[in-house]
Amino acid sequence: RRQRQMCIRDRSKGGVLTVANNNENLDVTNNNPINFSNAINDGSEYAVSVVTNPSSPNQECEFSSKNFSGTINGMNELIEIECTTVQYKVGVDVSGLAKGGTLSLLNNSETLNVSTNNPVNFATAINDGNGYDVSVATNPSSPNQECLITSANGSGNINGMDVIVEFECTTLQYNVGVDVSGLVKGNTIE
């Protein structure tokens, strides 16, 4: 009797990959080769499939070798599966940005310049489970505005979905005053 051996690559810690062959499921929790517990007779068919992808963090696993199904032919089969962590977008939705203004934002060390009141994403997607931290790098200066995060999710860890951080920009207001000299007490200027 020959064994079917699985070789899993790049599977993150914490998740469980479940694969199946015929009626046997196998939970894989690390990147080391592992055998199904039931050996198959020489000349018998096998067909390995991915039943459940890891979910902590979310990963997608695919066969990287072409021998995931076939017939046992006098030797053990090593079936390779490659898992990659799912990536999600971090975006912003800015409102109140004045025409002609540009808001510069940071996510970790990546800069995003926003010049419209529409949702926009940072260019770099982030692996599920990894951190993000969106902040204002530079407020708009033409006209002068202050932009603040209005949603509660300005920083945190990606948790199985895209993130949209909301910003509200307001135009700064300034006082206009006068400095009068020589006005006699009791007189007014209108």
Side-chain angles (χ1 to χ4, degrees), residues 142-180:
S142 181
N144 287 332
Q145 289 192 289
E146 181 179 41
C147 301
L148 300 172
I149 295 174
T150 58
S151 56
N153 63 342
S155 64
N157 291 326
I158 298 294
N159 191 18
M161 65 179 66
D162 294 336
V163 173
I164 297 290
V165 180
E166 296 175 355
F167 283 83
E168 176 69 35
C169 297
T170 55
T171 301
L172 297 180
Q173 296 181 340
Y174 299 93
N175 293 319
V176 176
V178 294
D179 184 8
V180 177

Side-chain angles (χ1 to χ4, degrees), residues 9-188:
R9 299 188 192 289
D10 292 337
R11 202 203 55 69
S12 291
K13 294 179 181 175
V16 176
L17 167 66
T18 303
V19 293
N21 180 55
N22 300 328
N23 292 324
E24 181 183 359
N25 282 359
L26 177 65
D27 290 335
V28 181
T29 58
N30 59 51
N31 287 327
N32 297 321
I34 185 171
N35 291 326
F36 282 92
S37 59
N38 297 320
I40 296 178
N41 290 329
D42 193 29
S44 296
E45 292 187 7
Y46 67 94
V48 176
S49 61
V50 173
V51 176
T52 306
N53 282 306
S55 61
S56 182
N58 287 325
Q59 290 192 291
E60 293 177 354
C61 300
E62 298 178 347
F63 295 101
S64 54
S65 60
K66 296 181 180 185
N67 64 336
F68 56 89
S69 65
T71 303
I72 297 294
N73 190 13
M75 59 190 293
N76 294 330
E77 291 290 334
L78 178 63
I79 301 166
E80 294 185 3
I81 297 176
E82 183 83 20
C83 296
T84 55
T85 301
V86 178
Q87 294 186 325
Y88 295 95
K89 298 174 187 173
V90 174
V92 297
D93 189 1
V94 177
S95 62
L97 183 62
K99 184 177 181 181
T102 299
L103 171 62
S104 292
L105 300 172
L106 289 174
N107 178 29
N108 300 327
S109 62
E110 181 180 351
T111 301
L112 174 65
N113 292 317
V114 181
S115 58
T116 64
N117 287 305
N118 294 313
V120 62
N121 293 322
F122 284 89
T124 304
I126 297 177
N127 285 347
D128 190 36
N130 285 4
Y132 68 94
D133 186 10
V134 178
S135 62
V136 173
T138 307
N139 277 302
S141 60
S142 181
N144 287 332
Q145 289 192 289
E146 181 179 41
C147 301
L148 300 172
I149 295 174
T150 58
S151 56
N153 63 342
S155 64
N157 291 326
I158 298 294
N159 191 18
M161 65 179 66
D162 294 336
V163 173
I164 297 290
V165 180
E166 296 175 355
F167 283 83
E168 176 69 35
C169 297
T170 55
T171 301
L172 297 180
Q173 296 181 340
Y174 299 93
N175 293 319
V176 176
V178 294
D179 184 8
V180 177
S181 62
L183 184 65
V184 175
K185 185 176 182 177
N187 286 340
T188 60

